[in-house]
C-alpha cells in the first residue's frame, strides 16, 4: 500500500493536511487519435536471475484491461490486490485507482479504467510500475521499447520473449522465492528444505506440479494472455450476466460450490438439440398455444374454458397420467401450472379477461426450434429469491448435479448470497427447492410427461439456458 503521511498535531496544520487529496489525480495527456502497437518489457524488480517478458500490446488498452494481461504474462493467479503507479511514484505518491480502492477504501483519483496504456507510455524509455500482492510486494517495471502501426491483426496480446518462471503465490516475497528457487536448482535435497516448509513432502505438495524456476515458454504465455484478455479464465465466463453477477457476489462455501459447478460446465459452446429433443421440448408450449389460438375468454374466476383445458391436457400428455377428469383448470393443477409458465416465459398475455398469444409467440409460429430457444432464454422464472434460486438450480443441473446434493448446493449459495429463512439464519434445501420450483417445473415439462422424464434432456436444456442453443440449419 502507499506509505502513510505523517499526521500533524497542530489544528490549523491538521485542517490543511485534511484538505490535501490523499491520492491526487494523475495528469495524463490526451489519448492519441490513432493507437499504436506497443512493444514493452515487463520485469520483476530486485530479483536475480531476471524474470521478464517482452510483450506486444495495443496501445488503447486501459490499465484495467492491462491488469489481467500482465497476470497471465507473468503467471500470477490474480489472488491479491494490485496497483499501477507512474514509474517515479512506486510505493508512494499518486496511483491509479482500482474498483477495490473506490468501493472498499473510499479512495479518489484517476481510475485505472479511465487511463490508456498509450497515455502513460508514449515514447521509448517511458516507464510504468505495476504492484501486485502488497504482502509479498512484487514490483514490476514496464518499459516502452518501440511503437509501430497497429493493424486489425495486432489486437490480441502477444509475448515475444522472456525468461524465468513466475514465483509461486504467497511464497514470501523475494527472499522466500530466492530460497525456494536455490533449493530447487540444487536438486531439492530432503535434508535442506527452506522455510516455511516443515519437510520435503509439504514443499512438494505446496509448489505447483513440476515447478521449474528457470522454465519459460513464449507460446504458452501468449495463449494464456489471450485467454485472460478475453475473460475466459474466469469461472463465470460465457454464462448469462445475471448468473455471473450472482456468482461474483458469493464468498466462502457458496463460492466454492458455484465455481465447482461452473468448472464442470466445460467448454462454453451452444447446446445442440436434435429433432427429437426439439419436438419434445416444444410440446407443452405448443399444446397451450394451439389450444388458445388467437385468444380465449377466461371465466369470471379467471380460468380457461373446459374445452381448452381438455385440449391442453390431451396434447401435452397430462391426460395420460392425471387421475380424474381434465376439464376444469382449478382441479387440474398440471394444466394450470403449464398455462402460468406459458405466461411467465412471455408466450401468453392476460388482459381484460382474455388470454392471447404475444408477439413473441406469433414470431416463432411454425418454428419449434426457435420456440424452444426463446423459452430457454426466458428462464429462470420469477423475481428476487425465486429468480436467484432458479439461476443456481439451472447451474447445478447443467453441471450434472441432481437430488439432495443439488438442493443443498443451491441452499448454500442462496445463504452465502445473503438470503435468510424466516425461522433460522441459513436457507435449507426445502426452501431452495421451493424457490426454484417454477423454473424446475417449466424446464422439466419440456423433457417428458410426469411419468417419463428424460433426465439427460433436462441437463441439455439447462445447459441451453446458460450457453444458448445451436442454431438450426
Amino acid at each position: 500500500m502507499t506509505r502513510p503521511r505523517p499526521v500533524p498535531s497542530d489544528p490549523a496544520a491538521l485542517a490543511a493536511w485534511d484538505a490535501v487529496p490523499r491520492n491526487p489525480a494523475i495528469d495524463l495527456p490526451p489519448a492519441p487519435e490513432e493507437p499504436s502497437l506497443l512493444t514493452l518489457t515487463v520485469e520483476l524488480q530486485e530479483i536475480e536471475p531476471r524474470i521478464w517478458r517482452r510483450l506486444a500490446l495495443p496501445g488503447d488498452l486501459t490499465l484495467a484491461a492491462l491488469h489481467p494481461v500482465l497476470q497471465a504474462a507473468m503467471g500470477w493467479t490474480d489472488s491479491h490486490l494490485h496497483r499501477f503507479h507512474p514509474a517515479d511514484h512506486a510505493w508512494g505518491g499518486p496511483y491509479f485507482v482500482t474498483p477495490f480502492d473506490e468501493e472498499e477504501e473510499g479512495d479518489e483519483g484517476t481510475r485505472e479504467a479511465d487511463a490508456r496504456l498509450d497515455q502513460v507510455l508514449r515514447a521509448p524509455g517511458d516507464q510504468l510500475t505495476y504492484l501486485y500482492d502488497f504482502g509479498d510486494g512484487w514490483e514490476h517495471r514496464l518499459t516502452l521499447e518501440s511503437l509501430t502501426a497497429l493493424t486489425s491483426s495486432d489486437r490480441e496480446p502477444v509475448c515475444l520473449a522472456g525468461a524465468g518462471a513466475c514465483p509461486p503465490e504467497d511464497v514470501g516475497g523475494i527472499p522466500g522465492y530466492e530460497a525456494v528457487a536455490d533449493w530447487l536448482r540444487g536438486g531439492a535435497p530432503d535434508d535442506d528444505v527452506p522455510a516455511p516448509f516443515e519437510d520435503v513432502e509439504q514443499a512438494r505438495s505446496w509448489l505447483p506440479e513440476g515447478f521449474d524456476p528457470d522454465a519459460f515458454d513464449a507460446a504458452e504465455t501468449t495463449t494464456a494472455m489471450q485467454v485472460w484478455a478475453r475473460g475466459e479464465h474466469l469461472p463465470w465466463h460465457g454464462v448469462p450476466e445475471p448468473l455471473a453477477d450472482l456468482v461474483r457476489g458469493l464468498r466462502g462455501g457458496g463460492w466454492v460450490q458455484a465455481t465447482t459447478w461452473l468448472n464442470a460446465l466445460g467448454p462454453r459452446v451452444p447446446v445442440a438439440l436434435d429433432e427429437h429433443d426439439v419436438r419434445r421440448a416444444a410440446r407443452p408450449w405448443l399444446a397451450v398455444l394451439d389450444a388458445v389460438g388467437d385468444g380465449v375468454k377466461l371465466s369470471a374466476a379467471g380460468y380457461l374454458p373446459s374445452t381448452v383445458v381438455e385440449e391442453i391436457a390431451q396434447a401435452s400428455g397430462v391426460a395420460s397420467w392425471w387421475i380424474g377428469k381434465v376439464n376444469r383448470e382449478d382441479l387440474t393443477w398440471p394444466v394450470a401450472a403449464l398455462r402460468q409458465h406459458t405466461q411467465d416465459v412471455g408466450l401468453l398475455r392476460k388482459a381484460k379477461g382474455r388470454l392471447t398469444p404475444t408477439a413473441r409467440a406469433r414470431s416463432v409460429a411454425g418454428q419449434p426450434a426457435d420456440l424452444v430457444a426463446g423459452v430457454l432464454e426466458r428462464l429462470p422464472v420469477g423475481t428476487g429469491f425465486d429468480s436467484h434460486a432458479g439461476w443456481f438450480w439451472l447451474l447445478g443441473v447443467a453441471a450434472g448435479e441432481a437430488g439432495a446434493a443439488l438442493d443443498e448446493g443451491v441452499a448454500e449459495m442462496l445463504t452465502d448470497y445473503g438470503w435468510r429463512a424466516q425461522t433460522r439464519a441459513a436457507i435449507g434445501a426445502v426452501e431452495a427447492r421451493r424457490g426454484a420450483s417454477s423454473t424446475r417445473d417449466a424446464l422439466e415439462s419440456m423433457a417428458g410427461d410426469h411419468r417419463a422424464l428424460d433426465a439427460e434432456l433436462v441437463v441439455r436444456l439447462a445447459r441451453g439456458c446458460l450457453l444458448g442453443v445451436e442454431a438450426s440449419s
Side-chain angles (χ1 to χ4, degrees):
M1 304 293 281
T2 56
R3 294 170 181 165
R5 297 181 295 166
V7 180
S9 57
D10 177 76
L14 181 60
W17 184 88
D18 281 335
V20 176
R22 299 292 193 276
N23 181 44
I26 297 170
D27 185 22
L28 291 174
E33 292 185 8
E34 295 293 335
S36 298
L37 179 67
L38 308 187
T39 299
L40 54 89
T41 58
V42 184
E43 183 173 357
L44 270 178
Q45 299 297 286
E46 300 180 6
I47 192 166
E48 290 292 340
R50 294 174 65 208
I51 299 175
W52 64 280
R53 310 285 185 259
R54 177 173 290 112
L55 311 178
L57 307 173
D60 55 1
L61 275 182
T62 66
L63 298 188
L66 176 62
H67 160 63
V69 172
L70 292 179
Q71 286 282 306
M74 297 305 299
W76 302 116
T77 62
D78 202 11
S79 302
H80 301 279
L81 299 175
H82 74 278
R83 183 168 286 167
F84 288 99
H85 285 257
D88 56 345
H89 294 300
W91 300 105
Y95 51 87
F96 293 94
V97 178
T98 68
F100 178 88
D101 294 327
E102 287 187 308
E103 297 164 10
E104 303 296 330
E105 303 293 336
D107 288 353
E108 299 178 351
T110 303
R111 294 174 175 170
E112 65 174 19
D114 296 335
R116 286 174 30 165
L117 183 58
D118 57 11
Q119 289 178 281
V120 183
L121 303 180
R122 296 181 63 85
D126 286 352
Q127 294 186 322
L128 174 69
T129 296
Y130 173 69
L131 307 176
Y132 174 64
D133 185 354
F134 302 152
D136 276 5
W138 300 108
E139 180 177 341
H140 308 69
R141 184 62 50 82
L142 282 65
T143 304
L144 179 61
E145 291 187 347
S146 63
L147 303 90
T148 56
L150 179 66
T151 67
S152 59
S153 62
D154 296 327
R155 297 299 311 177
E156 290 198 290
V158 174
C159 181
L160 303 171
C166 182
E169 297 277 3
D170 304 311
V171 74
I174 293 172
Y177 176 63
E178 288 180 338
V180 169
D182 288 345
W183 177 66
L184 291 171
R185 292 186 183 107
D190 294 357
D191 59 352
D192 189 25
V193 178
F197 304 122
E198 295 181 0
D199 51 43
V200 69
E201 287 75 18
Q202 184 188 31
R204 288 172 177 162
S205 64
W206 181 84
L207 287 169
E209 184 177 357
F211 180 76
D212 177 355
D214 301 311
F216 171 75
D217 187 299
E220 290 181 1
T221 301
T222 293
T223 298
M225 290 166 60
Q226 294 178 0
V227 166
W228 280 57
R230 292 190 295 264
E232 294 175 3
H233 66 296
L234 299 170
W236 55 80
H237 81 88
V239 303
E241 194 58 28
L243 176 57
D245 283 342
L246 288 174
V247 173
R248 287 190 289 263
L250 297 175
R251 300 290 184 272
W255 166 260
V256 173
Q257 181 64 82
T259 53
T260 298
W261 285 351
L262 284 164
N263 290 333
L265 287 180
R268 306 313 201 245
V269 295
V271 175
L273 298 177
D274 61 24
E275 184 178 350
H276 178 266
D277 289 341
V278 169
R279 187 167 57 249
R280 195 168 197 180
R283 181 184 184 187
W285 314 113
L286 290 175
V288 177
L289 293 174
D290 290 346
V292 169
D294 293 332
V296 297
K297 182 177 176 57
L298 300 173
S299 70
Y303 295 117
L304 290 167
S306 59
T307 56
V308 174
V309 174
E310 289 185 87
E311 186 176 345
I312 293 173
Q314 293 293 338
S316 66
V318 169
S320 67
W321 58 268
W322 184 252
I323 300 176
K325 295 183 178 180
V326 289
N327 61 351
R328 287 182 56 179
E329 190 179 16
D330 59 330
L331 298 180
T332 315
W333 67 260
V335 171
L338 181 55
R339 189 256 278 200
Q340 183 59 53
H341 296 330
T342 310
Q343 292 176 236
D344 292 337
V345 298
L347 297 175
L348 289 178
R349 177 178 62 252
K350 184 170 69 172
K352 297 181 180 181
R354 287 184 61 80
L355 199 63
T356 57
T358 63
R360 173 186 289 267
R362 291 192 294 271
S363 70
V364 295
Q367 304 173 68
D370 292 341
L371 170 62
V372 170
V375 168
L376 296 180
E377 288 176 356
R378 293 297 295 265
L379 297 180
V381 173
T383 60
F385 179 82
D386 291 351
S387 173
H388 293 177
W391 277 120
F392 290 143
W393 182 85
L394 287 170
L395 173 59
V397 173
E401 197 62 85
L406 173 61
D407 295 335
E408 290 165 3
V410 172
E412 183 168 26
M413 288 186 286
L414 288 168
T415 299
D416 201 345
Y417 194 76
W419 290 103
R420 294 294 179 266
Q422 291 183 346
T423 58
R424 59 185 181 280
I427 296 295
V430 172
E431 290 94 351
R433 185 171 179 81
R434 186 180 300 124
S437 61
S438 293
T439 298
R440 182 185 66 248
D441 292 347
L443 193 75
E444 290 184 350
S445 73
M446 303 169 72
D449 63 33
H450 184 70
R451 295 179 302 174
L453 186 68
D454 185 340
E456 293 183 358
L457 180 55
V458 172
V459 174
R460 290 197 295 277
L461 293 172
R463 291 179 64 84
C465 290
L466 303 187
L467 306 176
V469 175
E470 190 176 279
S472 57
S473 56

